């Protein structure tokens, strides 16, 4: 059994179901793969069969080795028994193996004993093994003796191998469904692996158990940081309501086993609930024109909650990602400043922690790997990128399992703005000077020299990677760094668990650009509070279709700007949910719920005994006593006062 809790997988599927592609995706990241081909060459004149075999061969990477067992079916058990622990075997497929087993050239033979030998070899195999087999049990019983013999033998083989394997997946129309979960550490559930192409990964699958072949997974997984809940600071004249709270929770490590790759199908918000909620706002009993641009908050909350009457977000968690970038990216920053900010947040001090306390939000400080100077070398290794993506996904899963209804993504690392600018330049074609904000020193002065160093670092990094691939993981490895990679994983995991995310800074928007290339649905679960006049945020928001709700021009640090806006957004949602429909549109004219008539306040007021100015025959009396005559423009008040 491997350290990930499983060693062998059986992938079942019908003809053209995508089972082979899915199995190949499971071993794509393994360093040493041996492809075991079981099918015979067939009739040389059968061009269609030859084309199928050629297609399978063309999909195999050049680094894979191939071994054929078609000549002797019993040799498959010997291949499994001799495999080394550092190897990964992909056996494709058992249908061809059974075909050879039933061939008259290999008869007479004890088919049952041969299948049992194969099952025992799988159980004892030291290497990781993925086996592919056709699922024929759902079809009609063949009408020929040979057809029935084949289906019976293959059915027996599938049952024996499935019993011997740690996990079993069924692929139907390209969609994998896990029939037998893997046993993982502490009996914790695992998440499914997404196959090559556009295999679906749903929220329910994420919560179900499923394996993946990923030798880059850390052993053991990094422990998730503790979740802190702080109370707001108390004014000197007040008694403290509660002492500073200890960490509320720290979930144990859960290995998701997820393969994050392009083409993942994650859930989308409800496309009908949002417009219905906005239309409902026009019927509410409000004295003015309504909520203005904040009606988009109601539409967003309705779509992500799946109801036309969304409620205000109750449980909110702030994820503060802390990761530094070495080299010119961090020019103009004080050494150790990001670590000081992170320590402040953990202690409940600083703008972010205090705003989180005022909003009743929990806070989680997430330390990420430091990025190497991107102008001279990749910011991260490929293994670090994979680990960071899974780590961010697990953070989102932890929040969803704790009942969090909204995530706020913040960052405090050194050099994050330059890294975000590099990501934007690589993914959106932006010019570095146009997306790099001014460098402000601690004394409030503008440091143009540091800004030029940052521009040069981004320029040199883009030049260094000009011939490198521009896939999502390549951009993270070359330019993004650990904080952007973890934030990307958070966005993907939150999308899978249907948790909306509030963004407001360059790291979050850079992660949005990367997640767009991994799962296009992720951006629909993001809400931009305020761009803060940051050029990178404004450009990325435009590319992602995220229109900022406010324009307060705040610059309190990424995440803190969103927390300033959070009480207003909650108030808007609470108001939209509580207000009744206007009586003229069919609403209740008696909103207090009583049937008593309204009091007649006219009976309590004294009667008016003055002249009736509405009478057409009313004539105004002349003023008493001497005084000037009022004629035309010289008309003056009866008191005789006249302007000087």
């Amino acid at each position: 059994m491997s350290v990930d809790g499983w060693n062998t997988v059986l992938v079942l599927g019908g003809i053209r179901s995508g089972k082979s592609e899915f199995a190949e995706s499971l071993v794509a990241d393994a360093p040493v793969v041996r492809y075991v081909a079981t099918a015979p060459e067939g009739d040389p004149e059968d061009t269609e069969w030859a084309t199928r075999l050629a297609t399978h061969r063309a999909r195999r990477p050049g680094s894979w080795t191939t071994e054929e067992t078609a000549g002797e079916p019993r040799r498959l058990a010997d291949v499994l028994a001799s495999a080394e622990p550092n190897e990964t075997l992909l056996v494709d497929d058992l249908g061809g193996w059974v075909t050879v087993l039933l061939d008259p050239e290999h008869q007479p033979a004890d088919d049952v004993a041969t299948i049992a030998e194969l099952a025992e070899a799988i159980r004892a195999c030291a290497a990781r093994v993925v086996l592919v087999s056709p699922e024929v049990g759902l079809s009609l019983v063949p009408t020929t003796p040979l057809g029935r013999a084949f289906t019976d033998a293959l059915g027996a083989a599938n049952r024996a191998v499935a019993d011997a394997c740690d996990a079993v997946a069924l692929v139907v129309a390209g969609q994998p469904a896990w029939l037998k979960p893997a046993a993982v550490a502490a009996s914790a559930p695992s998440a499914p692996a997404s196959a090559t192409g556009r295999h679906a990964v749903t929220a329910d699958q994420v919560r179900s158990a499923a394996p993946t072949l990923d030798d880059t997974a850390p052993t053991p997984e990094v422990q998730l940081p503790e979740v802190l809940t702080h109370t707001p600071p108390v004014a000197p004249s007040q008694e403290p309501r509660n002492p500073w709270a200890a960490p509320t929770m720290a979930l144990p490590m859960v290995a998701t086993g997820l393969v994050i790759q392009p083409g993942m199908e994650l859930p989308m918000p409800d496309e009908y609930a949002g417009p219905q909620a906005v239309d409902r706002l026009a019927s509410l009993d409000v004295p003015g024109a309504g909520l203005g641009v904040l009606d988009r908050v109601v539409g967003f909350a309705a779509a992500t909650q799946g109801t036309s009457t969304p409620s205000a977000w109750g449980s909110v968690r702030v994820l503060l990602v802390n990761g530094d970038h070495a080299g010119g990216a961090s020019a103009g920053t004080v050494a150790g400043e990001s670590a000081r900010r992170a320590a402040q947040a953990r202690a409940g001090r600083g703008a972010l922690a205090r705003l989180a306390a005022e909003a009743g939000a929990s806070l989680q400080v997430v330390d990420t790997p430091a990025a190497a100077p991107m102008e001279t070398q990749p910011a991260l290794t490929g293994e670090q990128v994979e680990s960071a993506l899974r780590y961010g996904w697990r953070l989102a899963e932890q929040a969803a399992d704790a009942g969090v209804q909204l995530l706020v993504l913040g960052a405090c690392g050194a050099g994050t703005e330059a890294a975000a600018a590099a990501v934007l330049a690589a993914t959106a074609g932006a010019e570095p000077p146009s997306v790099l904000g001014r460098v402000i020193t601690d004394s409030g002065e503008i440091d143009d020299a540091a800004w030029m160093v940052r521009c040069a670092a981004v320029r040199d990094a883009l030049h260094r990677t000009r011939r490198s691939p521009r896939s999502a993981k390549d951009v993270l490895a070359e330019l993004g760094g650990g904080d952007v990679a973890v934030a990307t994983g958070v966005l993907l995991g939150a999308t899978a668990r249907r948790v909306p995310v509030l963004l407001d800074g360059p790291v979050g928007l850079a992660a949005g650009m990367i997640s767009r290339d991994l799962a296009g649905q992720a951006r629909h679960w993001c809400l931009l509070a305020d761009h803060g006049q940051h050029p990178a945020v404004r450009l990325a928001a435009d590319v992602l279709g995220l229109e900022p709700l406010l324009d307060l021009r705040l610059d309190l640090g990424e995440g803190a700007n969103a927390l300033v806006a959070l009480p207003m957004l909650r108030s808007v949602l609470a108001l939209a949910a509580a207000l009744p429909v206007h009586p003229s549109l069919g609403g209740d004219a008696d909103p207090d719920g009583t049937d008593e008539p309204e009091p007649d306040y006219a009976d309590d007021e004294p009667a008016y005994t003055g002249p009736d100015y509405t009478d057409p025959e009313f004539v105004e009396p002349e003023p008493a006593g001497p005084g000037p005559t009022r004629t035309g423009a010289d008309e003056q008040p009866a008191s005789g006062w006249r302007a000087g």
Side-chain angles (χ1 to χ4, degrees):
M1 194 66 63
S2 75
V3 295
D4 290 329
W6 66 273
N7 209 48
T8 50
V9 181
L10 173 62
V11 178
L12 299 169
I15 299 173
R16 299 295 190 186
S17 63
K19 59 184 182 297
S20 294
E21 292 92 332
F22 178 71
E24 291 165 7
S25 75
L26 291 177
V27 303
D29 294 330
V32 180
V33 178
R34 183 163 28 142
Y35 187 97
V36 182
T38 62
E41 290 293 336
D43 188 349
E45 297 182 358
D46 190 347
T47 57
E48 191 273 337
W49 180 251
T51 301
R52 285 182 180 235
L53 294 180
T55 301
H56 276 257
R57 293 190 183 103
R59 283 203 309 261
R60 302 172 201 166
S63 59
W64 292 8
T65 60
T66 301
E67 185 163 349
E68 298 184 357
T69 63
E72 175 53 55
R74 292 180 181 273
R75 202 167 74 83
L76 178 58
D78 297 334
V79 171
L80 294 172
S82 61
E84 298 294 331
N86 64 325
E87 282 189 295
T88 298
L89 271 58
L90 174 57
V91 181
D92 195 357
D93 68 357
L94 295 184
W97 181 77
V98 169
T99 300
V100 176
L101 181 65
L102 297 180
D103 192 293
E105 294 184 2
H106 302 287
Q107 298 295 327
D110 189 346
D111 303 338
V112 175
T114 305
I115 293 173
E117 290 174 4
L118 176 63
E120 287 302 319
I122 292 172
R123 289 189 178 93
C125 184
R128 288 179 166 180
V129 184
V130 175
L131 304 102
V132 182
S133 183
E135 175 51 63
V136 295
L138 302 179
S139 62
L140 298 175
V141 177
T143 58
T144 63
L146 183 59
R148 289 192 293 271
F150 174 77
T151 55
D152 290 347
L154 184 57
N158 285 347
R159 292 181 60 181
V161 172
D163 183 67
C165 286
D166 300 323
V168 180
L170 175 65
V171 180
V172 180
Q175 310 302 309
W178 293 95
L179 308 180
K180 181 180 179 181
V184 297
S187 302
S190 298
S194 172
T196 302
R198 300 188 66 82
H199 292 299
V201 179
T202 65
D204 292 337
Q205 286 176 317
V206 171
R207 288 188 289 269
S208 66
T212 179
L213 286 177
D214 187 357
D215 285 335
T216 65
T219 308
E221 287 276 12
V222 180
Q223 183 76 16
L224 295 179
E226 62 184 5
V227 179
L228 305 173
T229 302
H230 298 298
T231 56
V234 181
S237 59
Q238 297 177 332
E239 292 295 328
R241 288 172 289 178
N242 288 301
W244 291 106
T248 57
M249 59 180 298
L251 292 185
M253 180 270 293
V254 177
T256 63
L258 179 73
V259 173
I260 298 177
Q261 60 187 13
M264 293 190 299
E265 286 287 353
L266 301 181
M268 282 283 289
D270 193 318
E271 60 179 321
Y272 300 108
Q276 290 172 356
V278 174
D279 292 343
R280 178 179 171 273
L281 293 178
S283 65
L284 298 183
D285 188 6
V286 294
L291 299 175
V293 297
L294 293 180
D295 61 358
R296 288 188 283 114
V297 180
V298 180
F300 174 82
T304 53
Q305 294 179 24
T307 174
S308 59
T309 55
S311 58
W313 299 298
S315 178
V316 178
R317 178 169 297 178
V318 182
L319 296 179
L320 180 62
V321 182
N322 175 34
D324 290 342
H325 298 256
S330 59
T333 59
V334 179
E337 178 66 10
S338 61
R340 187 180 72 85
R341 295 290 183 189
Q344 254 189 353
R346 288 190 177 97
R349 300 189 303 272
L352 183 77
R354 298 195 176 224
L355 287 170
E358 291 290 346
S362 59
L363 174 62
Q364 198 168 16
V365 181
V366 182
D367 293 320
T368 65
M374 61 180 172
E375 60 266 37
T376 59
Q377 65 188 90
L380 297 176
T381 64
E383 291 79 7
Q384 286 177 315
V385 170
E386 295 287 352
S387 178
L389 287 171
R390 287 193 303 270
Y391 188 60
W393 185 296
R394 290 169 54 217
L395 287 168
E397 280 189 328
Q398 180 195 39
D401 292 339
V404 171
Q405 299 170 348
L406 177 71
L407 285 173
V408 178
L409 197 55
C412 66
T416 57
E417 295 185 359
V423 170
L424 280 175
T427 56
E431 289 293 332
S434 66
V435 290
L436 265 174
R438 306 297 292 270
V439 179
I440 309 297
T441 65
D442 291 340
S443 59
E445 299 176 349
I446 296 176
D447 190 344
D448 286 335
W451 179 83
M452 288 187 285
V453 173
R454 294 186 185 185
C455 285
V458 176
R459 177 203 62 197
D460 294 345
L462 295 174
H463 180 75
R464 179 183 61 80
T465 61
R466 63 191 182 280
R467 294 188 178 89
S468 301
R470 284 292 188 252
S471 68
K473 293 183 180 179
D474 290 320
V475 172
L476 286 175
E478 296 287 352
L479 307 170
D483 49 358
V484 180
V486 169
T488 302
V490 168
L491 295 184
L492 295 173
T495 300
R497 297 298 296 270
R498 301 178 181 271
V499 178
V501 183
L502 192 58
L503 306 175
D504 80 338
V507 170
L509 271 296
M513 295 292 293
I514 297 294
S515 64
R516 178 192 61 166
D517 295 334
L518 294 170
Q521 302 83 4
R523 67 184 180 90
H524 297 282
W525 294 86
C526 297
L527 187 66
L528 180 59
D530 190 346
H531 55 60
Q533 296 297 309
H534 196 289
V537 174
R538 299 178 72 169
L539 175 62
D542 185 61
V543 174
L544 295 173
L546 300 177
E547 186 176 355
L549 299 169
L550 306 172
D551 187 9
L552 301 179
R553 305 185 182 185
L554 296 173
D555 192 11
L556 299 172
E558 184 166 353
N561 302 331
L563 288 174
V564 170
L566 181 59
M568 179 188 297
L569 306 185
R570 278 173 159 170
S571 298
V572 166
L573 293 177
L575 191 65
L579 285 178
V581 176
H582 196 278
S584 64
L585 299 176
D588 188 0
D590 185 28
D592 60 359
T594 65
D595 295 329
E596 298 179 3
E598 294 293 330
D600 187 2
Y601 296 105
D603 294 342
D604 300 331
E605 297 180 359
Y608 176 71
T609 57
D612 185 3
Y613 293 100
T614 62
D615 187 351
E617 298 183 359
F618 171 75
V619 178
E620 184 178 0
E622 291 293 330
T629 304
R630 293 179 294 169
T631 58
D634 294 330
E635 179 178 308
Q636 298 295 326
S639 63
W641 179 88
R642 184 182 181 89

